[in-house]
């Protein structure tokens, strides 16, 4: 979250969710709301390099658990 904030990201677009994978807790970070998967992918390519190293990928909100 600190790297995201330090990157100049608009923090009001950040959402954090909690889930479990194989019984282990994990957290996900969502940034922004995009009308299409292509729009989200374009926005990801525009992220600063230090954020792209976290290997972001587009997710549909309905697919989050």
């Amino acid at each position: 979250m600190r790297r995201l904030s330090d990157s100049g990201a608009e923090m009001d677009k950040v959402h954090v969710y909690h889930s479990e994978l194989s019984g282990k807790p994990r957290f996900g970070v969502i940034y922004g709301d995009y009308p299409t998967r292509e729009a989200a992918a374009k926005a990801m390519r525009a992220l600063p390099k230090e954020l792209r190293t976290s290997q972001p990928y587009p997710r549909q909100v309905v697919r989050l658990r």
Side-chain angles (χ1 to χ4, degrees):
M1 294 300 294
R2 185 173 299 141
R3 278 194 299 165
L4 189 59
S5 178
D6 291 347
S7 75
E10 297 174 55
M11 295 307 288
D12 61 329
K13 292 183 176 182
V14 176
H15 302 279
V16 178
Y17 67 94
H18 174 262
S19 66
E20 287 188 13
L21 181 63
S22 301
K24 296 182 180 183
R26 66 186 243 179
F27 292 90
V29 178
I30 300 170
Y31 183 72
D33 184 17
Y34 303 92
T36 65
R37 186 174 188 88
E38 292 78 22
K42 183 178 178 180
M44 286 186 324
R45 289 189 296 273
L47 288 171
K49 182 179 179 180
E50 61 271 9
L51 295 180
R52 289 192 320 265
T53 60
S54 298
Q55 300 178 335
Y57 55 94
R59 296 284 308 261
Q60 293 179 319
V61 172
V62 298
R63 302 226 184 239
L64 300 176
R65 299 181 198 180

